Amino acid sequence: LAAFIDITERKRNEELLRELSLTDDLTGLRNRRGFMLVAEQQLAYGKRIGESLLVYLDLDGLKQINDNYGHEEGSAAIVKIAEIMRQTFRTSDIMARFGGDEFVVLVVGVASGSEPLMARLQSNLEKYNEHSGRPYQLKVSVGVESINPQSNATIEELLACADQQMYEQKRKNKERLADGLPRRT
């Protein structure tokens, strides 16, 4: 005597739950957990094919956007940064929203360093700001950690270095604003 039970629907639901646990529901990017799950493996792959980059981004002024225009507008700004990231980076790069207004990208196999990539990011931000019609401009502070193929650094150590660089840029940007100089990101 045998009994057959169709578990197709249950398996679909399990896969959906797994995907939801790895994805940021606001932006559709990976969340911290989703990033960490694949980053070590991609980092090892990247070390075999050449230099890689870890990019740490922080949306500047999110508190002011939330305070002045509401949290819905703050959420829209976060979503727009995710869209700009998708325009800037390759689909093979691992992009994630780490939480709040912080994002990370693991760029594997970079031939020309970070300058062209950062220029493209800045250009995409400027294009958006010129045509957005928003009463504020989107700006980010960025930390970039180059990953040498011979490096033994863990993804956590690389994240800490890129995060520290990002905060250093954020500090410099605040000093520029305090001095009354134009702000560059």
Side-chain angles (χ1 to χ4, degrees):
L1 190 62
F4 293 98
I5 300 171
D6 186 2
I7 61 169
T8 305
E9 187 67 26
R10 186 175 85 193
K11 289 295 182 184
R12 254 185 262 161
N13 288 337
E14 288 173 359
E15 182 59 30
L16 178 62
L17 284 173
R18 182 183 176 285
E19 185 62 30
L20 289 172
S21 74
L22 304 175
T23 305
D24 176 59
D25 61 336
L26 182 62
T27 63
L29 298 176
R30 293 180 184 274
N31 60 20
R32 179 184 295 264
R33 182 172 179 243
F35 178 85
M36 297 304 281
L37 190 65
V38 296
E40 283 290 348
Q41 180 181 7
Q42 283 297 101
L43 183 61
Y45 170 71
K47 288 179 181 180
R48 287 195 308 263
I49 64 171
E51 185 179 2
S52 298
L53 301 171
L54 186 67
V55 181
Y56 206 110
L57 297 99
D58 183 84
L59 173 59
D60 293 340
L62 180 62
K63 182 180 180 342
Q64 288 76 21
I65 294 170
N66 284 334
D67 290 349
N68 294 323
Y69 308 105
H71 289 275
E72 190 172 302
E73 191 64 31
S75 293
I78 289 170
V79 168
K80 187 40 101 172
I81 289 295
E83 289 174 18
I84 291 169
M85 288 172 60
R86 285 185 186 97
Q87 294 167 359
T88 302
F89 299 99
R90 304 169 300 190
T91 56
S92 60
D93 298 331
I94 302 170
M95 294 177 269
R97 178 178 174 214
F98 250 36
D101 57 358
E102 294 184 343
F103 300 83
V104 296
V105 184
L106 179 59
V107 183
V108 175
V110 178
S112 57
S114 66
E115 290 80 16
L117 196 54
M118 293 303 98
R120 189 166 62 232
L121 175 63
Q122 187 60 39
S123 174
N124 289 339
L125 279 167
E126 288 170 3
K127 284 178 197 169
Y128 169 77
N129 286 329
E130 286 174 20
H131 304 291
S132 73
R134 304 271 190 207
Y136 56 86
Q137 292 198 338
L138 292 181
K139 297 181 187 286
V140 294
S141 294
V142 181
V144 179
E145 183 67 16
S146 293
I147 306 167
N148 183 309
Q150 285 76 39
S151 170
N152 291 324
T154 66
I155 196 70
E156 289 87 0
E157 292 166 336
L158 295 166
L159 282 166
C161 291
D163 184 41
Q164 185 173 351
Q165 291 176 33
M166 182 273 300
Y167 274 107
E168 181 62 24
Q169 183 187 24
K170 188 176 276 298
R171 184 187 62 74
K172 287 178 183 176
N173 290 344
K174 286 181 181 179
E175 286 175 2
R176 257 190 232 105
L177 285 175
D179 292 338
L181 299 174
R183 181 184 171 154
R184 290 182 49 208
T185 55

